[in-house]
Amino acid sequence: MSLDTRNPTFAGEDGPRAHPRSKREQIVKAALQVFLENGYAATSMNRVADAAGVIKATIYSHFKDKEQLFVAIIEEATIGKIAFDFNDKERIIAISPEEFMDEISNKFHTLEQDAEYHRFLRVVIGESERFPELAHLYVKTVIMRGMECASAYFEHHPELGLEDPQAAAHVIAGSFVSLVVWQKILGGCAIAPLEIGRVKNVLKTLICDRTKLTSP
Amino acid sequence: MSLDTRNPTFAGEDGPRAHPRSKREQIVKAALQVFLENGYAATSMNRVADAAGVIKATIYSHFKDKEQLFVAIIEEATIGKIAFDFNDKERIIAISPEEFMDEISNKFHTLEQDAEYHRFLRVVIGESERFPELAHLYVKTVIMRGMECASAYFEHHPELGLEDPQAAAHVIAGSFVSLVVWQKILGGCAIAPLEIGRVKNVLKTLICDRTKLTSP
DNA sequence: GTCTATAATTAGATAGAC
DNA sequence: GTCTATCTAATTATAGAC
C-alpha cells in the first residue's frame, strides 16, 4: 500500500550546477548533527565526512569551505524552525487570555523536550560572535515571529491594560525561553528543577487577574 | 659567579620586560580575554601565549593542559561574578515592590552594558556541552543567588498573592536575562531595539497592580 | 561527481639548556 | 620557572585518476 514515490538517487536541481541530491542530503544531515554537537571550531571536516559516509573531497565539491558549509547548514536549520508556527494571528487574537497562555506554554513545552533545539540554540548563541549574521537570521525568522504574534494579542486586548504590547510580549516569551536555556542548556534541571507549568501559572495569574482590576 | 637577576621577590620594581610579579597572573588575565573572545576550541595556546607575552612552555609549567587552563580561567571568572551581589536579603525584603523592581532593573542595566559579561555568558552557554561542570558552577553561584533573593521577596510579600515565589522569581529574572541575551548577544538591538526600562515598566505594572486587587 | 593520496599549515604538548 | 627548539598528530584544502 505504501508506495515510496521518493527518488533516493536523483531528484530536482538546486541550480545550474546539479548534484545528486542524496549525497548532498547526506552531508547536510550529518553535518548538522556534528556541528550542533561540537560547535564550529571543534568540528573537523573529517568527522563530518565520516558521519555523512562520504569522503572529504566530496564535501568540497558541494561547499566552498568549512565556513560556507556551516553557514548553509545553520541557515537551513533556522528556516526549518519557523515550522514552529505562530502564523495564525487571527485565531490567536480571538482566544481568551487563559487559552492564550496555555497555547504558548504548550509551544515551549515541546521546545523544552526537543534536544536538537537545545543544541541548535547553544550553537547559535555560542557562535554568535564569529557568525553574527546567523544570530540575526535567527532573531528575524524565529524570535520576531513569535514576538509579533504575542504583541498583536496584547494590542487587541486593551482590557488587560498593558500599554506596551511589545515589552509585554517579551516578558512572556523571555520567561519561557530563559527557562529552557537555564534548565536544559545550562543543566539547571539537575540542580533546581522548575517545571514549565509553574511558570505558566505565574504568568496566568499575573496576566489574567488583570481583568479583575477596577478600571482606571 | 652567577648573579640571579631573575628573582623579583622584593617589592616595588615591576618592569614591563623585567620580572613581573607573577607570570601566572599575566597568563590568567590574557587567557580569559582570548577564551571569552574565541571560545574554547578556536583558541590556540599560541594565541594565549602571545597575548600574555610569554612563551607557550611557560603556560604548560603552570597548567597541565589547555582544558585545565580553560576550566581554571572560567571558574575564576565565575566566582568573580558573584560580586554582582544580591546578598543583602534583609534590606531587599523590606522595600516596596516598586523599589524592588527598580533595584533589579538597575542590576541588569549594568549587566546589559558589560561587554565582558556578554562574552562570558556566550562562552558558558556555548561550551556547556563540553564543560557542563562550568555551566553548573554558573547556575549555582550566580543564577541561584539572584533567584533565591527574588524568591525570598515574594515569600515575604503575601499581599502580592503570588503562590509560587520561585516561579515568580524566575519570571522576573528570566525576562531580564533573556533580554540581555536577545539584545546584546544575538544582536537584537540592531534589529528590534527593546530598552530594559520598558520591560521593567511592564513587570512593575504586572506585579504592583496586584496590591489593588480585591482580596480573595 | 567521487575517490585516493597528499600538500601545507597549525594544533597541543614536551625535552633539555640555563 | 622560563626559554629555544622540536615532535607528533590533526587540521583545512587540493590535485589528479576515473
Side-chain angles (χ1 to χ4, degrees), chain B residues 124-135:
Chain B
V124 169
I125 294 174
E127 306 295 345
S128 57
E129 181 137 26
R130 188 190 296 261
F131 298 97
E133 73 277 13
L134 293 180

Side-chain angles (χ1 to χ4, degrees), chain A residues 39-54:
Chain A
Y40 177 76
T43 295
S44 76
M45 297 296 265
N46 280 322
R47 292 194 58 174
V48 173
D50 288 350
V54 301

Side-chain angles (χ1 to χ4, degrees), chain B residues 104-117:
Chain B
I104 292 190
S105 178
N106 285 341
K107 296 277 187 194
F108 280 98
H109 183 68
T110 62
L111 192 148
E112 195 193 34
Q113 291 175 318
D114 184 345
E116 180 167 309
Y117 203 107

